Amino acid sequence: MIDHAIPALGAFYACASVVCFAAYALDKSAARAGRRRTPERTLLLLGLTGGWPGGLLAQQWLRHKTSKQSFQIKFWLSVAINLGVLAFAAVGLPMTD
């Protein structure tokens, strides 16, 4: 079971990360242009559901949401929750011979 779960999980995180990175990029563009922004809640939920690697990459590459401490606290809390759920789920996966 775990042999199939790891590649599928990797593909899920990769796709979620691309979506999350794109959301950060759109928000950064909207901020620069004075347009309507993506709600922080949306960015955080995208990260919580597996897109946090893309969110982290976007923060660093785009220099977006890096200086807002309240967002950073929520972001890292969402990362910890995501990894905790992942670890909890991994414990329950049967190992194959």
Side-chain angles (χ1 to χ4, degrees), residues 8-20 50-51 53-54:
L9 190 60
F12 174 79
Y13 270 80
C15 290
S17 290
V18 168
V19 170
C20 193

Side-chain angles (χ1 to χ4, degrees), residues 60-77:
Q60 299 306 309
W61 282 8
L62 305 174
R63 302 300 303 157
H64 191 50
K65 298 288 188 186
T66 56
S67 60
K68 189 170 183 185
Q69 188 162 3
S70 63
F71 181 85
Q72 285 297 305
I73 290 168
K74 294 172 192 170
F75 174 79
W76 287 108
L77 180 61

Side-chain angles (χ1 to χ4, degrees), residues 21-80:
F21 187 99
Y24 273 78
L26 289 171
D27 186 50
K28 177 75 173 193
S29 175
R32 286 185 171 166
R35 294 188 317 263
R36 187 164 185 235
R37 305 278 305 276
T38 303
E40 285 187 355
R41 183 181 329 190
T42 300
L43 298 175
L44 292 167
L45 284 173
L46 287 170
L48 179 64
T49 57
W52 66 264
L56 181 60
L57 192 60
Q59 288 178 33
Q60 299 306 309
W61 282 8
L62 305 174
R63 302 300 303 157
H64 191 50
K65 298 288 188 186
T66 56
S67 60
K68 189 170 183 185
Q69 188 162 3
S70 63
F71 181 85
Q72 285 297 305
I73 290 168
K74 294 172 192 170
F75 174 79
W76 287 108
L77 180 61
S78 71
V79 171

